[in-house]
Amino acid sequence: MSSIQIPRRRFLALGAAGFGASLLAGCDRLSESPEVGEFLSSAEGLTYRAQRLLGGSHSLAREYAEADLSPVFKVNGTHMPEGDDYAELVESNFARWRLRIDGLVANPLDLSLQDLRNLPQRTQITRHDCVEGWSAIGKWQGVPLSIVLKRASPLPEARFAVFHCADMYEHALDGTGQYYESIDLIDAFHPQTILAHRLNDGPLSVGHGAPLRLRVERQLGYKQAKYVMRVELAASLEGFGRGKGGFWPDRGYEWYAGI
Amino acid sequence: METRAEAHGSVGIPVAVSIYRHALVTRLTHWINVLCVTVLLFSGLQIFNAHPALYWGHFGADADHPVFEIGADEPENGPPVGFARIGSTTFATTGVLGVSNNAAGEAVERGFPRWLTLPGWRELSLGRRWHFFFAWLFVANLLVYFAAGLGNGHLRRDLLPSGQELRPRSLLRDIAGHIKLKFPRGEEARRYNPLQKLAYLAVIGVLLPVMVLTGLTMSPGMDAILPWLVDLFGGRQSARTIHFIAAFLIVLFVVVHVAMVFLAGPINELRSMITGRFRISVEDQHE
């Protein structure tokens, strides 16, 4: 009996090891296929619908106390946008900077930093979760995006808010290296979605996106667009970048980053 | 439970009996789970590699103190040295953790090596695609398993240990049996032994649900929907650390589980999880 079982065991062990190795090699081959990538991406729609169903427009991200603040809030992504235009804005302390609100709105706006400061403010201490896995807690102050959008009077066709940023993240040959992001109008009108101009009781630093950065607290860090220059309301995400709704979504990351 | 005894004459002679051990739903969910856990493990290590450090509490990033870290030191002259650090204890791990070979055979800095990540090359976004697709399948499969297991009595009948089995004496005897690699024979082999029941219950009832819950806690969207999740695990970064520890414990379970299958008779055990039929030898009671 045992004389039969030992070769059998060895055979099975070898088989299992071979199976494991070919499984990984097979998974790598599958990973190279765009169709498989598309298929795996179908989970994103499920996640989006599930979180919208359960959380809708009302669920709030946790707000922390001053004592919970990260000692150091990590600077990630662009540290300093390239180019003379941005350098001049920094030089003049953003005096000539204007935020443009346009696209599918009845009343396009150009707002200075002072205009934004004069609007109702919201301060929130929230956790920033990077797609890489780390978290930092910071205190943000800014204008709720809903207040700005309401003043611009969105048209009924509008479905997305697209944020155009000052930083060229990558020198892509097709000109799609400019950082941009987009959110649906549920998040755009969420009470914690703000255009922040202050972090931890000081003006937003260049590393953190001066003069203005988006905070959309129920999503990951790459949605928190820095150096926001223009908010455009749109009916579809086609025609922006490579059509997936953001710099990182154009490069394989989920457009809906609530997970 | 149906049995099919082969004809034998006299009393007391062992007879091979084939029993129906695993219901179809148990076998199906078992193999779907194998697939899901495998993909989730290797894609999870890909995700981990994007920031190979774990923290305790609500926040944690470069400037904060990690409880576990994989990294690489770059000496002035000489190749980079990989290390893993738990608390303040550092282990040299060049070749596996921190520094390992890429597809071209060059030593590069990366957390887990390419043969433990999905995909093998470094691509966080694709790792996440694999992870979240199979996370959905994993959760759906787990729900089917629990619903069926409660409905057909599998959880209560096969996995829940009896009071007698939980007595220290019977547990000690079972532990001794495992140490001596003596496996239940005959009638006793019809049921899972007490340690087996406890191991399966710990994995199915604790580790797998903890994986789901800590995974959900890492989602900022879910934290807004179920704020108690964050409190349950003491913060998002604690949840991430627990997710990693629970994954490690599942790997440990799988190693022991597969070893036991091989020691207990791989053909019989594997057949029972494929066809449902398990062969035991009983003493013939017929005249």
Side-chain angles (χ1 to χ4, degrees):
Chain A
M1 195 68 179
S2 60
S3 62
I4 298 172
Q5 271 186 352
I6 288 165
R8 263 186 187 174
R9 275 179 196 163
R10 198 170 294 160
F11 172 77
L12 282 169
L14 279 172
F19 175 73
S22 54
L23 187 76
L24 282 179
C27 281
D28 271 0
R29 192 162 301 169
L30 288 175
S31 294
E32 285 168 6
S33 146
E35 288 80 15
V36 172
E38 274 310 297
F39 181 67
L40 294 173
S41 301
S42 59
E44 182 188 347
L46 205 56
T47 304
Y48 175 69
R49 283 192 292 275
Q51 292 201 358
R52 282 288 178 259
L53 183 72
L54 296 168
S57 51
H58 305 295
S59 72
L60 293 178
R62 170 173 303 229
E63 295 196 18
Y64 293 84
E66 299 259 352
D68 301 319
L69 289 171
S70 289
V72 178
F73 199 108
K74 182 181 172 175
V75 170
N76 203 31
T78 302
H79 284 53
M80 168 74 194
E82 293 173 16
D84 293 342
D85 290 351
Y86 185 78
E88 273 169 35
L89 286 175
V90 175
E91 192 100 335
S92 65
N93 205 15
F94 302 101
R96 284 191 299 278
W97 175 89
R98 293 290 180 276
L99 175 70
R100 176 96 183 137
I101 315 284
D102 61 5
L104 297 174
V105 295
N107 179 30
L109 301 172
D110 283 293
L111 301 169
S112 70
L113 259 185
Q114 196 53 49
D115 294 335
L116 289 169
R117 290 194 197 105
N118 291 341
L119 288 168
Q121 303 288 299
R122 191 180 203 283
T123 302
Q124 56 202 30
I125 299 177
T126 52
R127 199 188 63 217
H128 175 100
D129 298 326
C130 180
V131 68
E132 293 168 357
W134 53 268
S135 304
I137 296 178
K139 180 181 183 182
W140 304 95
Q141 187 196 316
V143 189
L145 179 61
S146 61
I147 289 177
V148 176
L149 290 182
K150 275 175 201 158
R151 289 188 177 221
S153 304
L155 298 175
E157 310 90 270
R159 286 186 56 217
F160 301 98
V162 182
F163 302 84
H164 299 275
C165 305
D167 55 326
M168 178 71 78
Y169 202 93
E170 181 186 286
H171 292 276
L173 290 175
D174 60 354
T176 60
Q178 196 78 19
Y179 204 91
Y180 77 107
E181 257 303 339
S182 61
I183 54 178
D184 64 9
L185 291 192
I186 292 172
D187 264 332
F189 283 89
H190 186 266
Q192 288 173 320
T193 299
I194 65 174
L195 296 168
H197 52 82
R198 288 175 75 77
L199 168 61
N200 293 342
D201 295 319
L204 205 57
S205 67
V206 168
H208 284 300
L212 198 70
R213 127 177 251 180
L214 173 69
R215 293 301 308 171
V216 48
E217 301 291 359
R218 299 183 299 177
Q219 298 204 44
L220 294 176
Y222 62 85
K223 302 298 285 188
Q224 326 294 329
K226 305 199 281 190
Y227 318 106
V228 177
M229 306 296 281
R230 178 178 167 211
V231 183
E232 181 180 359
L233 291 194
S236 133
L237 297 174
E238 275 169 47
F240 300 103
R242 298 176 192 167
K244 301 282 190 191
F247 177 88
W248 289 114
D250 282 343
R251 286 154 184 81
Y253 287 84
E254 291 86 358
W255 172 77
Y256 180 68
I259 184 169
Chain B
M1 197 170 280
E2 39 167 319
T3 59
R4 193 179 59 203
E6 273 130 46
H8 263 280
S10 54
V11 181
I13 291 177
V15 179
V17 177
S18 171
I19 62 169
Y20 188 59
R21 195 183 213 200
H22 300 299
L24 178 64
V25 64
T26 310
R27 288 176 271 142
L28 266 178
T29 51
H30 174 270
W31 291 114
I32 293 173
N33 199 48
V34 169
L35 173 71
C36 289
V37 169
T38 305
V39 171
L40 286 167
L41 174 70
F42 295 120
S43 58
L45 296 180
Q46 166 74 239
I47 296 170
F48 175 86
N49 273 1
H51 188 80
L54 299 172
Y55 308 88
W56 199 257
H58 289 278
F59 64 81
D62 295 0
D64 306 303
H65 187 70
V67 292
F68 175 73
E69 184 184 9
I70 294 176
D73 285 326
E74 291 171 57
E76 282 198 15
N77 36 16
V81 180
F83 69 82
R85 188 177 291 144
I86 303 174
S88 51
T89 312
T90 307
F91 304 91
T93 52
T94 305
V96 183
L97 304 177
V99 174
S100 54
N101 285 354
N102 64 13
E106 302 151 342
V108 292
E109 293 180 18
R110 55 179 292 158
F112 284 94
R114 51 190 282 271
W115 43 272
L116 283 179
T117 66
L118 173 60
W121 59 90
R122 191 169 168 176
E123 192 173 346
L124 170 62
S125 59
L126 196 51
R128 283 167 55 85
R129 299 266 183 211
W130 279 103
H131 204 71
F132 299 144
F133 183 94
F134 280 88
W136 272 104
L137 187 60
F138 170 74
V139 169
N141 189 54
L142 204 58
L143 290 176
V144 168
Y145 174 83
F146 278 124
L150 288 171
N152 66 17
H154 163 64
L155 289 173
R156 182 181 41 77
R157 188 187 57 236
D158 300 329
L159 291 184
L160 204 64
S162 65
Q164 200 176 340
E165 284 176 318
L166 285 177
R167 284 199 192 132
R169 251 187 82 175
S170 92
L171 283 178
L172 282 174
R173 198 179 56 209
D174 201 26
I175 291 169
H178 276 81
I179 290 171
K180 291 184 218 149
L181 297 178
K182 272 182 68 182
F183 296 101
R185 303 252 170 245
E187 286 298 326
E188 283 214 318
R190 282 183 188 272
R191 294 180 304 274
Y192 293 147
N193 59 65
L195 284 189
Q196 197 175 11
K197 287 183 178 181
L198 290 175
Y200 293 169
L201 272 184
V203 171
I204 295 161
V206 181
L207 286 182
L208 298 187
V210 161
M211 287 310 286
V212 175
L213 292 176
T214 51
L216 290 175
T217 309
M218 282 186 266
S219 147
M222 287 311 298
D223 285 353
I225 295 163
L226 305 171
W228 54 266
L229 275 176
V230 186
D231 297 313
L232 180 64
F233 297 110
R236 180 190 192 239
Q237 290 300 321
S238 304
R240 184 166 170 261
T241 301
I242 296 167
H243 197 68
F244 190 84
I245 294 169
F248 179 76
L249 293 176
I250 290 171
V251 171
L252 209 63
F253 165 78
V254 170
V255 168
V256 174
H257 179 59
V258 172
M260 296 308 278
V261 165
F262 276 84
L263 291 168
I267 303 284
N268 199 19
E269 297 283 344
L270 268 176
R271 181 183 46 223
S272 76
M273 201 35 100
I274 294 167
T275 68
R277 296 222 154 258
F278 188 65
R279 203 168 274 238
I280 58 173
S281 83
V282 293
E283 291 195 353
D284 195 351
Q285 299 300 314
H286 301 286
E287 289 285 322

